[in-house]
């Protein structure tokens, strides 16, 4: 009998008083129609722990619609989702909880794959305060950001990466960067993120340049994002579009 995937979900909190995590939901049923090549893959039957922001929680959508959930279902994995809307890698936020640097300790210890999908909210924090409003951004303001906030991001990101390496010495740890969002702070966040990951030999999928997700294109967003002005959250069609590339990356680890 095939193993069932276990889902542990994390709701985005409106206040600090709300619980961070829900009890495990009904197990997801493995896809038993897959061929032998799936059953012989390195992912099959393994445990995936995934942490991140609303990219992982899927914002207002269902976790069951995400590419990572469906990869876990396809390969009959145990799946633990620690996504939280509005969460940062390096910065605590009053209404969105402590940073991943601190809350990673709540993650399941036994894991074969540790996946991080994060950085979008950190880029917003790195941007200068007067430019954090999403309206009115223009290309000439793209390089406006705070040096001091960028330094904090690099320091705490490095500590987070080192903590994951210590906590999961035998797991395959990897990262998916945010999309190519053309707003203040994103370019600097991406450069810092990839430099730190490379220094720690953590494989990453460069979703800003290799994903095929054209976040800057309004017609693309209307078709594949959760709203026409959304620059972060894929809808079910978007998750299906991205799944093949994400799955291929995980298989390559």
């Amino acid at each position: 009998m095939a193993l069932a995937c276990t889902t542990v979900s994390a709701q985005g909190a409106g206040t600090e008083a709300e619980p961070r995590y829900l009890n495990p939901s009904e197990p997801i049923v493995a896809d038993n129609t897959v061929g032998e090549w799936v059953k012989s893959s390195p992912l099959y039957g393994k445990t995936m722990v995934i942490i991140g922001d609303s990219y992982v929680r899927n914002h207002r959508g269902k976790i069951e619609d995400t590419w990572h959930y469906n990869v876990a279902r396809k390969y009959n994995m145990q799946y633990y989702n620690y996504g939280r809307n509005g969460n940062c890698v390096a910065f605590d936020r009053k209404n969105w909880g402590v940073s991943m640097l601190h809350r990673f300790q709540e993650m399941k210890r036994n894991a074969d794959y540790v996946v991080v999908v994060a950085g979008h909210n950190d880029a917003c924090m790195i941007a200068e305060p007067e430019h954090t409003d999403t309206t009115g951004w223009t290309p000439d303001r793209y390089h406006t950001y705070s040096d001091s906030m960028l330094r904090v991001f690099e320091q705490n990101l490095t500590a987070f990466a080192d903590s994951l390496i210590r906590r999961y010495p035998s797991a395959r740890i990897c990262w998916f960067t945010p999309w190519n969002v053309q707003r203040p702070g994103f370019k600097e966040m991406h450069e810092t993120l990839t430099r730190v990951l490379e220094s720690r030999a953590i494989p990453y999928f460069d979703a800003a340049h290799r994903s095929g997700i054209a976040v800057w294109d309004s017609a693309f967003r209307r078709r594949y994002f959760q709203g026409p002005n959304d620059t972060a959250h894929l809808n079910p069609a978007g998750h299906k579009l991205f799944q093949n590339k994400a799955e291929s990356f995980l298989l390559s680890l």
Side-chain angles (χ1 to χ4, degrees):
M1 179 180 295
L3 296 173
C5 292
T6 301
T7 303
V8 178
S9 60
Q11 293 276 16
T15 66
E16 291 182 291
E18 293 181 9
R20 248 176 240 172
Y21 302 111
L22 301 176
N23 292 324
S25 63
E26 289 296 318
I28 62 178
V29 179
D31 185 351
N32 293 318
T33 65
V34 298
E36 288 301 318
W37 69 272
V38 170
K39 294 181 181 180
S40 63
S41 79
L43 295 175
Y44 193 80
K46 298 297 176 33
T47 297
M48 179 197 297
V49 171
I50 183 166
I51 187 170
D53 49 30
S54 52
Y55 279 61
V56 175
R57 177 61 187 84
N58 204 25
H59 191 43
R60 300 182 184 278
K62 298 178 181 178
I63 289 176
E64 290 81 0
D65 289 333
T66 61
W67 65 260
H68 32 87
Y69 180 97
N70 283 289
V71 167
R73 179 177 184 271
K74 178 176 179 178
Y75 291 95
N76 195 21
M77 303 179 81
Q78 297 290 317
Y79 171 80
Y80 295 84
N81 185 307
Y82 295 90
R84 184 166 187 172
N85 288 351
N87 205 217
C88 288
V89 173
F91 305 102
D92 296 344
R93 300 181 74 190
K94 181 177 180 181
N95 292 327
W96 307 106
V98 298
S99 67
M100 290 171 228
L101 171 61
H102 297 108
R103 73 183 185 91
F104 82 93
Q105 298 179 42
E106 300 174 8
M107 294 162 61
K108 179 179 173 63
R109 278 189 172 272
N110 298 322
D112 301 298
Y113 290 84
V114 178
V115 182
V116 185
V117 189
H120 184 109
N121 296 308
D122 294 271
C124 295
M125 296 291 287
I126 290 166
E128 291 284 5
E130 63 266 30
H131 298 324
T132 55
D133 183 4
T134 59
T135 61
W137 273 327
T138 57
D140 63 302
R141 295 164 67 183
Y142 182 77
H143 293 286
T144 304
Y145 67 97
S146 165
D147 276 321
S148 61
M149 293 294 276
L150 186 61
R151 287 195 295 272
V152 172
F153 173 66
E154 181 170 9
Q155 178 181 346
N156 289 351
L157 168 64
T158 302
F160 177 50
D162 288 344
S163 296
L164 290 179
I165 291 169
R166 287 192 296 268
R167 187 179 180 87
Y168 299 101
S170 61
R172 291 175 173 86
I173 303 170
C174 67
W175 199 295
F176 287 79
T177 78
W179 320 122
N180 185 12
V181 180
Q182 298 183 9
R183 292 178 182 166
F186 277 84
K187 178 178 181 290
E188 292 73 25
M189 174 278 299
H190 185 274
E191 291 174 348
T192 302
L193 174 61
T194 55
R195 183 175 67 252
V196 170
L197 294 177
E198 288 171 2
S199 75
R200 295 314 193 258
I202 294 177
Y204 62 89
F205 184 90
D206 187 353
H209 301 105
R210 295 177 50 209
S211 64
I213 301 300
V215 67
W216 58 87
D217 186 279
S218 59
F220 186 96
R221 292 197 306 272
R222 284 194 296 272
R223 183 172 181 181
Y224 293 112
F225 278 75
Q226 292 184 22
N229 297 319
D230 195 330
T231 58
H233 315 106
L234 299 175
N235 62 21
H239 280 288
K240 288 180 181 178
L241 180 69
F242 182 59
Q243 180 175 331
N244 184 59
K245 290 187 176 182
E247 181 180 337
S248 296
F249 172 71
L250 292 176
L251 286 168
S252 73
L253 297 176

